[in-house]
Amino acid sequence: YKTDFTGGEGIRMPFQGKRIGFGITGSHHTFSRAFAQIENLVAKKAEVYPVVSFTVQHTDTKFGKAEDHLQRLEEITGRKVVKTMPDAEPFGPDLPLDCMIIAPLTGNSMAKLANGITDSPPLMAAKSTLRNEKPVVLGITTNDALGLNGKNLMHLLSTKNIYFIPFWQDSPFKEPNSLVANLDLLEETVRLAMDSKQIQPILIPYID
């Protein structure tokens, strides 16, 4: 998927020196793509703070062991992974972020965020960032975004300072309610979000 995101001042804002939180929730099959985006942000001199859910911390899957994922995050960012609610809260008053990303964002965490439930470090970091009226960028990966979770998706789409990485139906015939963000568009989404703009289009065609 290709589009033109030039046009408009601030779109090519450099990442150098920007404090960016990167939250990861339990969609394990997308971790490798998320890690690649973190590497890209670090290469562009962003100060990236990794924040993980309790599921990410404690669940081993066929996509890797939890401890290996955490170690990899610390190697990429050069920072300790934020694993607790108290450690995530300072992203509000004491260590404000320029942007908070959650990618992948599961349907479970999306529902909680939409309804003001803050029970994991990434959600606490997002809440703290919204408190500062700074952008929160979401990269959804959920098989019920067009089902029971649809109302939560619509609520977040209309919420101030929340921005979405463009998403598609990844399996429209086998899993018609499933939506997945195209993480290749994360960088441009964040650039625009820090300029208070939503990347467009949000709904994009699936390319295998």
Side-chain angles (χ1 to χ4, degrees):
Y1 179 77
K2 295 182 180 179
T3 189
D4 181 10
F5 298 109
T6 61
E9 264 185 65
I11 292 179
R12 298 303 174 191
M13 182 187 302
F15 285 97
Q16 185 169 1
K18 296 294 184 182
R19 283 198 292 257
I20 297 177
F22 204 112
I24 296 178
T25 65
S27 183
H28 293 80
H29 68 286
T30 59
F31 283 7
S32 60
R33 282 179 281 166
F35 290 177
Q37 294 303 317
I38 296 172
E39 289 178 325
N40 179 54
L41 292 173
V42 171
K44 294 185 182 328
K45 307 302 183 182
E47 299 176 11
V48 180
Y49 296 81
V51 187
V52 298
S53 69
F54 301 120
T55 298
V56 175
Q57 294 176 42
H58 302 296
T59 305
D60 297 335
T61 72
K62 64 181 180 180
F63 299 103
K65 293 183 178 180
E67 62 179 309
D68 292 338
H69 293 315
L70 300 182
Q71 181 179 349
R72 181 65 180 140
L73 285 170
E74 292 184 350
E75 289 173 351
I76 295 171
T77 63
R79 290 182 171 83
K80 287 289 186 182
V81 172
V82 175
K83 304 176 186 177
T84 69
M85 304 284 279
D87 286 342
E89 191 170 10
F91 290 129
D94 298 327
L95 188 65
L97 300 171
D98 293 291
C99 182
M100 176 65 196
I101 303 163
I102 306 180
L105 176 72
T106 62
N108 186 52
S109 290
M110 181 172 74
K112 291 177 179 179
L113 181 60
N115 288 280
I117 299 171
T118 307
D119 65 354
S120 74
L123 295 178
M124 174 60 77
K127 176 184 177 181
S128 297
T129 302
L130 290 173
R131 171 184 174 184
N132 292 333
E133 298 189 336
K134 293 293 185 179
V136 172
V137 169
L138 305 177
I140 60 172
T141 303
T142 170
N143 59 17
D144 71 338
L146 297 178
L148 288 175
N149 234 330
K151 61 181 180 181
N152 297 313
L153 173 61
M154 293 300 106
H155 180 67
L156 290 171
L157 280 167
S158 62
T159 300
K160 182 180 179 182
N161 294 322
I162 288 183
Y163 303 87
F164 278 81
I165 300 168
F167 48 78
W168 51 30
Q169 284 182 282
D170 57 303
S171 184
F173 299 104
K174 293 182 179 180
E175 295 181 89
N177 291 336
S178 179
L179 292 178
V180 173
N182 181 354
L183 297 189
D184 290 341
L185 299 177
L186 183 147
E187 178 183 337
E188 292 295 341
T189 304
V190 173
R191 288 180 188 273
L192 284 164
M194 291 194 296
D195 199 32
S196 301
K197 297 176 182 177
Q198 170 64 56
I199 193 173
Q200 296 291 347
I202 299 177
L203 298 172
I204 56 177
Y206 174 65
I207 299 175
D208 192 355

